[in-house]
Amino acid sequence: MKTRRALVIGKSGQLARELARHACDSGWLLDFLGREKLDLTQQDSISTGIEAHLKAHADTCCIINAAAYTAVEKAETEPDLAFAINRDAVAQLAETASAFDLPMLHVSTDFVFDGSAAIPYCESDAVAPLNVYGQSKLEGEQALMALNPQHYVLRTAWLFSAFEGNFLTTMLRLGREREQLRVVDDQIGSPTPADALAEALLHLARQAVEPGQRPGWGLYHFAGDTAMSWAGFARAIFATASIDCDVEPVTTEAYGSSVRRPSYSVLDTDRLKNSAGIDPPNFRHALQRALARIAS
């Protein structure tokens, strides 16, 4: 397998860290640009930083954007920052990648939907974000698709990993501290392992640059194979980790969230499977894998 070089935007998030873990096994040499080298809130920093990197590494064959503003609650009070990172920075990345004739891979979210569906959302379904975060991510994916014809947008949902700062690690900590937890039970989605998303991105990136292998450019969904509520997710974590903590199911309203979120945002992943041969990850196996990594 020929080693390929890609530029990854982002360095410290769980997706970027999973990309780093899987790079060698997937035949990739990845260069990461974090905040210290590229400020996504500054347009000049984006173009200058990427151009300098690409001129120094002419063998770079694509750009993967693993950076995003993901603080759903805070986005309501600092929308300018959310749009700067999730829309404006993506537009600048797309323009710069296009200027160098490079494909760009980008991750979006299930929050582009309003949750009114009763069956999994397809890529062609109507979008209607309920909050600032969802709107900023939607406008970011639209900007990429308009500015760089060589693009893959992967919408995903409910990422979890062995790294700190996600629902899995939060539940493990709280479940060991308390006998009971109140967890939202009226939002349904598909928990997605970040390691599987990283593998999917690298697989799709290789197909994009290998002659005769490329699926059609465009928008795809990638998420775990099991739909559940946040309360169901918490129960699965405690059962698998053998933690004795009772989950009290509550409504979003009773929980006290001030931000509207889709009540149903399960993603249909058939298009990616049929076009690129990438299967949705098995939730149970992924959860066991993440817990084993944490334990070791």
Side-chain angles (χ1 to χ4, degrees):
M1 180 187 297
K2 180 181 179 181
T3 299
R4 299 279 189 172
R5 179 188 291 270
L7 173 60
V8 179
I9 309 303
K11 185 177 180 180
S12 59
Q14 59 179 331
L15 176 56
R17 294 169 77 179
E18 290 291 2
L19 285 167
R21 276 205 328 122
H22 290 279
C24 292
D25 291 342
S26 302
W28 284 95
L29 174 61
L30 300 182
D31 301 309
F32 294 83
L33 288 183
R35 292 188 187 94
E36 71 281 1
K37 292 185 178 180
L38 191 149
D39 185 348
L40 290 176
T41 66
Q42 301 295 324
Q43 297 290 300
D44 290 344
S45 172
I46 295 171
S47 56
T48 301
I50 293 179
E51 288 172 10
H53 184 87
L54 295 178
K55 288 176 181 177
H57 301 284
D59 58 337
T60 300
C61 63
C62 68
I63 294 177
I64 301 173
N65 182 27
Y69 180 105
T70 59
V72 177
E73 301 276 345
K74 289 181 66 177
E76 299 298 313
T77 58
E78 46 186 30
D80 290 347
L81 182 57
F83 278 100
I85 295 173
N86 290 343
R87 179 193 62 196
D88 301 339
V90 175
Q92 189 63 49
L93 289 169
E95 285 188 333
T96 307
S98 183
F100 282 85
D101 194 31
L102 292 178
M104 180 169 156
L105 289 80
H106 174 68
V107 178
S108 192
T109 176
D110 58 323
F111 272 46
V112 301
F113 298 112
D114 65 7
S116 61
I119 59 174
Y121 281 100
C122 296
E123 290 83 352
S124 58
D125 286 332
V127 291
L130 298 177
N131 52 50
V132 169
Y133 166 70
Q135 186 65 37
S136 69
K137 291 294 289 181
L138 173 60
E139 294 185 23
E141 66 179 48
Q142 291 172 335
L144 170 56
M145 291 187 280
L147 294 169
N148 188 342
Q150 299 182 86
H151 65 263
Y152 290 119
V153 174
L154 262 62
R155 289 181 184 147
T156 194
W158 298 25
L159 280 189
F160 69 92
S161 72
F163 296 112
E164 288 294 329
N166 63 86
F167 187 79
L168 169 60
T169 55
T170 299
M171 287 299 101
L172 289 174
R173 174 176 55 82
L174 294 177
R176 291 180 176 122
E177 294 174 353
R178 306 177 189 177
E179 295 182 353
Q180 185 180 68
L181 286 176
R182 299 168 71 246
V183 186
V184 170
D185 198 41
D186 60 355
Q187 294 174 28
I188 307 298
S190 303
T192 306
D195 60 353
L197 176 59
E199 289 181 325
L201 283 167
L202 294 174
H203 183 76
L204 193 57
R206 179 164 289 279
Q207 289 185 321
V209 299
E210 295 288 350
Q213 296 295 315
R214 181 186 306 141
W217 301 115
L219 174 66
Y220 295 88
H221 287 171
F222 180 83
D225 67 352
T226 306
M228 64 187 69
S229 69
W230 289 111
F233 191 3
R235 291 191 189 98
I237 292 169
F238 296 151
T240 308
S242 299
I243 293 176
D244 186 15
C245 180
D246 182 55
V247 175
E248 177 188 352
V250 298
T251 64
T252 302
E253 183 179 6
Y255 187 77
S257 175
S258 60
V259 180
R260 294 181 67 201
R261 302 166 187 254
S263 59
Y264 180 91
S265 59
V266 179
L267 300 177
D268 185 307
T269 59
D270 283 349
R271 183 170 187 242
L272 186 63
K273 179 178 180 178
N274 295 335
S275 299
I278 298 175
D279 293 317
N282 182 283
F283 166 73
R284 300 293 174 181
H285 293 168
L287 179 58
Q288 292 169 351
R289 188 168 64 243
L291 289 172
R293 281 184 55 205
I294 292 170
S296 64

